[in-house]
């Protein structure tokens, strides 16, 4: 299977990422969050403007996940201290279950190892059982819990998961 990470570096790509995020989030989180919270979070964290700011001001890197020439999802990461923070990993519903997430994590392990980092960590909605199970299959373990106030009366109720790299 041919899978690559294609860096998003232009405003046009940020627009495409935001559109993909809207589609995936509305499907993925409809059973976990209210429509108004999904809309709020998309506007705050996954609009084209928010993505551009994260890349240009906060050190994030965004990538389209491209499998066999088709964009099937996206991922975002940031190197912090001795770890790689996996901020986003989303696969379109029509292609979930094909092993793409595990392949992406393998590529992120390569990035982390090249940078001589000690771990990869992420936050995941504590009620997103499918995502938690997928991360566990890739070797992540739950290390903590975190509730984050994101404004407008909303919180993110997450597990922190980590993959130790040796």
């Amino acid at each position: 299977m041919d899978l690559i990470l294609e860096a998003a570096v232009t405003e046009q790509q940020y627009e495409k990422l935001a559109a993909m995020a809207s589609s995936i989030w509305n499907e993925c989180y409809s059973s976990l969050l209210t429509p108004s919270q999904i809309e709020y979070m998309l506007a705050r964290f996954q609009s084209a403007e928010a993505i551009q700011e994260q890349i240009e001001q906060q050190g994030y890197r965004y990538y389209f996940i491209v499998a066999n020439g088709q964009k099937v999802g996206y991922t975002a990461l940031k190197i912090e201290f001795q770890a790689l923070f996996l901020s986003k990993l989303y696969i379109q519903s029509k292609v979930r279950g094909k092993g793409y997430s595990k392949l992406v994590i393998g590529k992120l392990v390569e990035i982390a190892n090249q940078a001589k980092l000690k771990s990869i960590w992420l936050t995941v909605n504590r009620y997103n059982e499918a995502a938690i199970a997928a991360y566990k299959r890739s070797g992540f373990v739950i290390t903590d819990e975190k509730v984050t106030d994101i404004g407008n009366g909303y919180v993110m109720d997450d597990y922190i998961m980590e993959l130790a790299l040796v």
Side-chain angles (χ1 to χ4, degrees):
M1 177 185 322
D2 181 32
L3 186 129
I4 62 168
L5 299 181
E6 177 186 306
V9 295
T10 68
E11 289 184 23
Q12 183 180 25
Q13 289 173 314
Y14 306 155
E15 292 286 343
K16 288 181 180 179
L17 273 169
M20 182 181 281
S22 179
S23 172
I24 293 172
W25 279 45
N26 277 292
E27 177 270 324
C28 181
Y29 290 116
S30 63
S31 64
L32 299 173
L33 306 173
T34 65
S36 60
Q37 183 170 355
I38 294 169
E39 183 180 319
Y40 174 78
M41 291 178 71
L42 284 168
R44 180 153 181 210
F45 302 116
Q46 293 295 264
S47 66
E49 297 80 12
I51 291 168
Q52 184 171 0
E53 179 190 341
Q54 290 167 33
I55 291 169
E56 294 178 359
Q57 306 295 323
Q58 299 174 29
Y60 284 85
R61 295 185 235 165
Y62 272 78
Y63 299 91
F64 287 102
I65 300 165
V66 182
N68 303 315
Q70 298 292 316
K71 289 181 174 78
V72 298
Y74 70 101
T75 189
L77 61 95
K78 180 179 181 182
I79 295 175
E80 300 180 330
F81 309 107
Q82 294 296 312
L84 186 147
F85 171 49
L86 173 53
S87 175
K88 314 277 184 296
L89 175 51
Y90 292 100
I91 305 292
Q92 294 173 327
S93 62
K94 65 184 177 186
V95 294
R96 280 191 206 129
K98 296 183 183 272
Y100 294 143
S101 292
K102 191 166 187 118
L103 291 172
V104 170
I105 290 170
K107 291 192 176 291
L108 298 178
V109 167
E110 290 175 18
I111 291 169
N113 284 335
Q114 289 172 358
K116 300 187 182 342
L117 303 176
K118 296 181 179 181
S119 66
I120 298 173
W121 71 280
L122 57 91
T123 59
V124 59
N125 182 299
R126 64 188 313 170
Y127 303 104
N128 191 341
E129 295 173 4
I132 293 166
Y135 289 128
K136 284 182 175 180
R137 284 191 300 274
S138 291
F140 284 82
V141 295
I142 296 171
T143 60
D144 207 349
E145 299 176 9
K146 180 179 183 180
V147 177
T148 306
D149 183 339
I150 59 170
N152 213 36
Y154 299 119
V155 298
M156 293 191 306
D157 189 5
D158 295 330
Y159 287 130
I160 297 172
M161 297 185 78
E162 184 174 15
L163 175 65
L165 305 173
V166 184

